[in-house]
Amino acid sequence: MVSNLLNQTRLESGHVKPNLDWCDVEDLIHGTLKEIKKDLAGRKVRPEIAKSIPLVRLDFVLMQQVLTNLL
């Protein structure tokens, strides 16, 4: 959690620049769920992702961290 706060501070201060690239949202969601599978033990998470979602330009690692924190 401390690392997350430090990264947020670095982003807000401009010391870290997001590595923007075109990403598949479905890969992002499923990859995140796979990484935190142990943390979600006993809980059902069923993502419903529309097939028509286009690629999105974002920092995959940072967005994965955001989703991890939310979940």
Side-chain angles (χ1 to χ4, degrees):
M1 186 174 272
V2 172
S3 177
N4 289 341
L5 290 172
L6 289 172
N7 286 337
Q8 180 180 350
T9 301
R10 288 184 191 114
L11 279 169
E12 289 174 355
S13 68
H15 286 98
V16 173
K17 300 284 186 214
N19 182 19
L20 300 179
D21 200 2
W22 294 103
C23 301
D24 184 333
V25 173
E26 189 171 1
D27 288 345
L28 173 67
I29 293 170
H30 287 296
T32 303
L33 289 172
K34 186 176 178 180
E35 280 197 19
I36 62 170
K37 189 174 185 176
K38 285 183 181 180
D39 296 323
L40 294 174
R43 294 176 177 87
K44 277 193 172 187
V45 177
R46 291 186 343 224
E48 294 182 19
I49 306 163
K51 297 294 181 196
S52 61
I53 294 179
L55 295 178
V56 180
R57 194 163 179 245
L58 51 81
D59 185 311
F60 192 90
V61 174
L62 291 176
M63 188 54 68
Q64 195 168 39
Q65 186 175 358
V66 168
L67 288 176
T68 298
N69 291 343
L70 289 172
L71 291 168

